Amino acid sequence: KQEVTQIPAALSVPEGENLVLNCSFTDSAIYNLQWFRQDPGKGLTSLLLIQSSQREQTSGRLNASLDKSSGRSTLYIAASQPGDSATYLCAVSFGGGGADGLTFGKGTHLIIQP
Amino acid sequence: DAGVIQSPRHEVTEMGQEVTLRCKPISGHDYLFWYRQTMMRGLELLIYFNNNVPIDDSGMPEDRFSAKMPNASFSTLKIQPSEPRDSAVYFCASRAWGNQPQHFGDGTRLSIL
């Protein structure tokens, strides 16, 4: 069974710091990997999608990397802000052709202290 | 452009009652997914459709759960009879064809008393 693990489960840092969230997965035969943000009581907001053939994707202060061979992805957040406080979820599509649903990690609960 | 729309946002009902959750995907998306989120198990895929056809329902926990997609703009997830352990947040998501991100609705928070 494919599994996705996120470390740490929770993280609290002062505003302005750069930080890295980690995601690992058990099967390197992935189709793509997606990072989401979830605010309390809300749905999931897609942040970045990395295709299996890509090594990284960037959007503003966010950079996601993918190393298929080691089964790892990282989400780098530069110059963190209190508005970045949320739960960040890593999700992997293991299906051939990308047709399968996503397998999610349990998330990293991030708090940025003002 | 409207996102994925789910209704109701909250549902509280008594054990044994039938519950119907509804989802309207983003127009033009070929895939529709139903997920369930709990504190213990996180987010889990229940079922997904491609062009209105159910492709994989292996995540549906029991026969009490059923899902339909009668047309490209509407899907339902039904629980009958409901049990307290079905209490969770149920999310619907949709995706366009190809290597595209999934887009999620705001979810339905279901409480079975």
Side-chain angles (χ1 to χ4, degrees), chain A residues 5 8 11 48 58 61 65 70 76 95 101-104 106 109-110:
Chain A
T5 304
L11 182 64
L48 291 164
T58 298
R61 294 182 294 107
S65 68
S70 66
Y76 175 84
L102 295 170
T103 300
F104 281 84
K106 292 287 181 68
H109 181 56
L110 177 64

Side-chain angles (χ1 to χ4, degrees), chain B residues 5-63:
Chain B
I5 300 172
Q6 292 186 245
S7 63
R9 288 298 314 278
H10 303 274
E11 176 89 10
V12 181
T13 192
E14 293 187 347
M15 176 179 172
Q17 297 297 306
E18 178 178 289
V19 173
T20 300
L21 311 182
R22 298 173 175 80
C23 175
K24 177 179 170 56
I26 293 173
S27 177
H29 282 191
D30 299 314
Y31 292 88
L32 183 140
F33 306 83
W34 282 100
Y35 293 89
R36 179 171 68 175
Q37 185 176 38
T38 62
M39 288 292 293
M40 288 295 294
R41 300 174 67 89
L43 266 158
E44 299 176 295
L45 176 69
L46 298 176
I47 185 172
Y48 77 92
F49 296 81
N50 179 20
N51 291 325
N52 313 337
V53 177
I55 303 300
D56 183 0
D57 65 354
S58 60
M60 297 284 262
E62 300 172 32
D63 291 345

Side-chain angles (χ1 to χ4, degrees), chain A residues 1 31-32 34 36 38 41-44 46 49-52 89 97-106, chain B residues 9 31 33 35 37 39-45 48 56 91 95 98-107 109:
Chain A
K1 177 185 175 184
Y31 187 65
N32 62 46
Q34 211 169 336
F36 292 89
Q38 185 174 27
K42 300 289 187 180
L44 282 67
S46 179
L49 179 146
I50 309 178
Q51 299 178 25
S52 61
L89 294 157
D100 289 357
L102 295 170
T103 300
F104 281 84
K106 292 287 181 68
Chain B
R9 288 298 314 278
Y31 292 88
F33 306 83
Y35 293 89
Q37 185 176 38
M39 288 292 293
M40 288 295 294
R41 300 174 67 89
L43 266 158
E44 299 176 295
L45 176 69
Y48 77 92
D56 183 0
F91 287 103
R95 178 175 71 79
N99 212 332
Q100 300 296 320
Q102 289 190 22
H103 297 270
F104 280 70
D106 285 339
R109 185 172 296 274

Side-chain angles (χ1 to χ4, degrees), chain A residues 40-105:
Chain A
K42 300 289 187 180
L44 282 67
T45 300
S46 179
L47 298 174
L48 291 164
L49 179 146
I50 309 178
Q51 299 178 25
S52 61
S53 59
Q54 297 175 324
R55 296 298 298 269
E56 66 178 338
Q57 280 287 335
T58 298
S59 176
R61 294 182 294 107
L62 305 180
N63 176 277
S65 68
L66 174 64
D67 184 341
K68 279 179 51 178
S69 60
S70 66
R72 295 175 187 271
S73 175
T74 62
L75 179 67
Y76 175 84
I77 303 176
S80 58
Q81 303 170 359
D84 295 330
S85 298
T87 296
Y88 290 80
L89 294 157
C90 170
V92 178
S93 172
F94 289 103
D100 289 357
L102 295 170
T103 300
F104 281 84

Side-chain angles (χ1 to χ4, degrees), chain A residues 7-31:
Chain A
I7 295 174
L11 182 64
S12 180
V13 300
E15 179 179 5
E17 283 199 5
N18 303 324
L19 57 99
V20 174
L21 307 182
N22 296 292
C23 172
S24 61
F25 44 92
T26 54
D27 187 343
S28 62
I30 71 171
Y31 187 65

